[in-house]
Amino acid sequence: MTASTLARPAARPADLKPTVRFRTERRSPLATGVLLLGAVYCLLPVVWVLVAATKNSAELFSTFTFAPSTHLWSNIQELSAYRGGLFWRWMANTALYAGVGGLLSVTVSAMAGYGLAKFQFVGKKATFNIILAGVLVPGVILAIPQYLLLAEVGLTNTYWSVLLPSVISPYGIYLARIYAAASVPDDVIEAARTDGAKEWRIFTQIATPMMIPGLVTVFLFQFVAIWNNFMLPYIMLGDDKLFPITVGLSGLLNQGATQPAMYTAVITGALLSILPLVALFLTLQRYWQVDLAAGAVKA
Amino acid sequence: MTTVAPPTDVTRAPRTAARNRRRTGRFAPYVYLAPAMTLFTLFLALPIAYAVYLSLRATKVSGLGLGAGAKTEVWAGFDNYARALSDPDFIASVVRVGLYGLLLVPTMLGLALVFALLLDARRTGAKSFSRVSIFLPYAVPAVIASLLWGFLYLPRVSPFYYVFDLIGWDAPQILSSQLVIFAIANIGLWGGVGFNMIVIYTALKAIPSELYEAARLDGASELQVAWRVKVPIVTPSLILTFLFSMIATLQVFAEPMTLRPLTNTISTTWSPLMKVYRDAFVRDDIYSAAATSVIIALATFVLSFGFLRLVQRRAFSQENS
């Protein structure tokens, strides 16, 4: 604090570049410490699961929590052998729900967002307001009536029952509209029309590539949202071969309450299930520029 | 609402383009919106309408309740609502989740703001490591997060209890009936703080640096710049993160459901949604579940819009300038 009051504007050369600051180099240990404390808190359960997955069930309850052991591989083998590889089926199901669901969702959102951002039409304002209201609808409240309606047409306990409701995302449409408005210039669309390009071609070949960075963010949002969604698959699915990983592991934990030997399987499963997501997340980190407020302003 | 493509720019375009637009552009927007609106109708609007319809119905059992025709659906008016609103289990779950929200939301947003400001401050070290670490829990589904913390709460497995043991203190029973709400709020905090931090941090990054350069040159300390310049500018982001956190709080379901096998202190009606689930699938009373759902949805709307109205001037006066 004292450093900043010492340097008066008059004492500094006027042509000093704003990025060069002689007094910024000193680190504040307090600020850094607080931030690191937050990092430790957030990493703690992740480090714990890494260590715990290396223990067999006896060690889990007897050795020090953060003392690693050597049973990771045998734990993975045991988990893989559980009911003929059911765990890996859950992983594949999750990839299907989140991957295919996310892709379909981003396609639908991109089309709707582009339509809302780049066209004048009757009912535009009403359509947008309806979608905006949809953002505030508590998604999981819908789960029970969705279940009952899908039961009517015999789709419950199928892949469709989890996939279809995940495709519509008012928030995704809202984001896509913002990205389309911000990244696709009207002039470009006009020019393409003048050159005689068809509307659909303009959308797929010109507008979509311009929207890609934004659409990656929409995809990631949807992917994580579907991967996270617990209530919908929990309600829709009865057959454990269709479960996503979250519902599967929560079922395993339920069994663990009566037979603690299952705990090792649950812990190993938890570790294996977060690895792909963490990897995806670290690779695509730069797309996470979440500007909710800018969106709100454009609305 | 800003219109993105003002109709005036037609005049700038060549005449053929204007004609093209009029001819091809007429149906195009509806084609783009068709898949979204179809799915919106089927999976949002229709379920909402159906829930409202069901909430006004009931089954009437005639005779002994046996046989196909013994149970008929009848109009029930607002009976289900009256029943839901006077149900002590429901009231208890609402009070519990209210308390949970009071614990979670201010803590989560306060920490998110502090971390975002620290990431944006010039004298903080270890920034990219901390940013990634704090954001990482966002990649962990609520069920898995609850499972991990659940084990960390279990006395026989937890490092906390191990440490308490070593110093010979009695560790608090975090899964006991008094503390379990903190245990669940902690999972919400762990999962949510990083996401909110990124939202606020993104808003901070968007501030042109000249804006607080001036304050710095006038001799304002980093703390003053943060509090007087940065916080007011990110207020719209804070309002939205608050709104989304509030909506998420009302819907808490996965965390308490996952922790249930580890303790007997979480009832089947711990949160309002758990009660909805129990009514619909354990008790087979979809009418009551529908009424409770509608009440929760209405409460969400009233709270969201009430809150937005309350802060509207503040939120948008910043941006329209």
Side-chain angles (χ1 to χ4, degrees):
Chain A
M1 301 302 139
T2 47
S4 51
T5 45
L6 275 177
R8 289 274 137 207
R12 311 183 49 219
D15 60 343
L16 193 67
K17 275 193 212 150
T19 46
V20 183
R21 286 275 181 276
F22 49 88
R23 55 196 156 81
T24 56
E25 306 310 314
R26 225 189 60 195
R27 293 259 182 260
S28 158
L30 180 70
T32 311
V34 171
L35 210 51
L36 282 176
L37 215 61
V40 168
Y41 164 71
C42 288
L43 288 180
L44 180 81
V46 180
V47 174
W48 177 83
V49 76
L50 262 172
V51 176
T54 65
K55 300 182 183 189
N56 65 27
S57 46
E59 288 166 341
L60 189 64
F61 296 104
S62 58
T63 60
F64 174 60
T65 326
F66 286 108
S69 183
T70 54
H71 298 280
L72 179 62
W73 186 243
S74 60
N75 283 343
I76 293 175
Q77 282 179 318
E78 237 169 85
L79 179 67
S80 301
Y82 173 73
R83 296 199 30 217
L86 190 60
F87 173 81
W88 295 106
R89 174 117 196 209
W90 292 339
M91 290 284 272
N93 289 341
T94 307
L96 175 84
Y97 292 132
V100 176
L103 279 177
L104 288 174
S105 183
V106 81
T107 310
V108 169
S109 299
M111 284 173 66
Y114 175 76
L116 282 169
K118 293 293 161 191
F119 291 90
Q120 295 301 322
F121 57 95
V122 180
K124 172 173 161 150
K125 198 170 174 171
T127 310
F128 185 65
N129 283 337
I130 290 170
I131 288 168
L132 209 56
V135 174
L136 293 180
V137 173
V140 278
I141 302 278
L142 299 169
I144 286 169
Q146 278 171 349
Y147 171 84
L148 296 170
L149 287 171
L150 285 172
E152 288 286 323
V153 288
L155 280 179
T156 47
N157 202 22
T158 63
Y159 282 116
W160 297 111
S161 63
V162 177
L163 211 47
L164 286 177
S166 309
V167 174
I168 183 71
S169 160
Y171 190 58
I173 296 173
Y174 171 71
L175 282 179
R177 177 186 179 274
I178 291 164
Y179 293 127
S183 60
V184 186
D186 288 335
D187 296 350
V188 173
I189 300 176
E190 275 314 322
R193 281 190 188 128
T194 314
D195 290 347
K198 291 266 191 305
E199 285 297 332
W200 184 247
R201 207 173 122 87
I202 296 174
F203 173 68
T204 52
Q205 313 246 309
I206 297 167
T208 307
M210 289 174 155
M211 291 165 69
I212 283 288
L215 294 181
V216 173
T217 305
V218 176
F219 173 76
L220 287 176
F221 257 119
Q222 269 312 95
F223 187 89
V224 172
I226 301 170
W227 191 293
N228 259 322
N229 196 346
F230 175 68
M231 195 175 181
L232 184 75
Y234 188 71
I235 287 177
M236 292 289 179
L237 305 172
D239 180 358
D240 62 10
K241 288 195 177 63
L242 302 179
F243 282 178
I245 195 76
T246 46
V247 180
L249 283 182
S250 123
L252 268 190
L253 184 70
N254 249 317
Q255 289 184 34
T258 47
Q259 40 181 132
M262 286 313 280
Y263 281 164
T264 311
V266 175
I267 290 166
T268 312
L271 175 68
L272 293 178
S273 74
I274 61 176
L275 285 180
L277 213 55
V278 168
L280 178 84
F281 169 91
L282 292 178
T283 337
L284 295 174
Q285 236 212 91
R286 68 195 181 89
Y287 288 101
W288 290 108
Q289 303 270 312
V290 192
D291 200 349
L292 294 179
V297 174
K298 291 215 173 68
Chain B
M1 207 170 359
T2 51
T3 44
V4 190
T8 47
D9 63 10
V10 173
T11 51
R12 278 194 286 113
R15 177 167 293 198
T16 45
R19 218 186 306 128
N20 265 347
R21 163 184 277 216
R22 241 175 276 127
R23 198 178 45 212
T24 57
R26 183 164 296 164
F27 297 105
Y30 300 105
V31 173
Y32 287 121
L33 278 156
M37 291 323 279
T38 309
L39 288 165
F40 191 96
T41 309
L42 285 177
F43 293 103
L44 250 106
L46 201 60
I48 291 174
Y50 193 48
V52 172
Y53 169 79
L54 282 174
S55 73
L56 300 169
R57 309 281 290 174
T59 35
K60 195 177 174 75
V61 181
S62 55
L64 292 168
L66 302 168
K71 281 187 182 173
T72 45
E73 217 184 71
V74 293
W75 184 254
F78 288 96
D79 284 359
N80 291 317
Y81 288 93
R83 221 154 31 97
L85 287 170
S86 61
D87 183 340
D89 282 345
F90 179 63
I91 295 166
S93 75
V94 169
V95 171
R96 212 177 283 120
V97 162
L99 193 63
Y100 163 84
L102 281 178
L103 283 172
L104 171 64
V105 178
T107 317
M108 178 167 75
L109 296 186
L111 280 177
L113 178 64
V114 168
F115 290 148
L117 286 170
L118 286 174
L119 283 180
D120 196 55
R122 292 188 304 188
R123 291 177 32 189
T124 318
K127 279 185 197 175
S128 59
F129 169 75
S130 304
R131 197 191 65 220
V132 173
S133 306
I134 297 173
F135 191 35
L136 193 68
Y138 179 65
V140 180
V143 169
I144 311 289
S146 314
L147 213 144
L148 299 182
W149 278 104
F151 281 108
L152 290 171
Y153 295 152
L154 274 187
R156 289 173 65 202
V157 191
S158 170
F160 307 121
Y161 288 89
Y162 190 89
V163 172
F164 273 96
D165 245 17
L166 278 184
I167 10 178
W169 287 359
D170 273 341
Q173 292 294 317
I174 185 73
L175 289 176
S176 66
S177 53
Q178 289 90 13
L179 295 182
V180 76
I181 190 164
F182 290 93
I184 297 172
N186 176 57
I187 300 171
L189 175 70
W190 185 77
V193 73
F195 176 74
N196 290 299
M197 175 190 79
I198 290 293
V199 173
I200 301 167
Y201 180 64
T202 308
L204 280 174
K205 285 274 123 193
I207 303 175
S209 60
E210 301 92 72
L211 213 66
Y212 41 83
E213 251 357 278
R216 279 200 188 114
L217 289 175
D218 284 347
S221 68
E222 280 296 306
L223 211 61
Q224 282 171 319
V225 172
W227 187 246
R228 299 275 173 84
V229 184
K230 293 182 181 177
V231 171
I233 290 179
V234 297
T235 301
S237 295
L238 278 173
I239 287 168
L240 281 161
T241 49
F242 183 85
L243 190 67
F244 283 132
S245 308
M246 211 161 66
I247 297 174
T249 297
L250 285 169
Q251 301 181 46
V252 59
F253 180 76
E255 293 91 343
M257 283 301 266
T258 313
L259 282 185
R260 280 199 69 226
L262 297 175
T263 171
N264 52 16
T265 55
I266 300 171
S267 65
T268 50
T269 56
W270 194 88
S271 82
L273 270 193
M274 286 170 73
K275 185 185 158 5
V276 170
Y277 177 82
R278 186 204 60 175
D279 287 351
F281 296 101
V282 182
R283 294 202 167 165
D284 226 5
D285 182 0
I286 51 169
Y287 310 103
S288 173
T292 313
S293 295
V294 174
I295 292 169
I296 299 170
L298 281 177
T300 312
F301 269 114
V302 170
L303 277 177
S304 308
F305 283 116
F307 175 71
L308 279 180
R309 265 191 93 91
L310 198 74
V311 295
Q312 202 172 32
R313 226 180 20 167
R314 191 105 199 244
F316 295 104
S317 65
Q318 303 277 351
E319 300 295 328
N320 289 338
S321 54

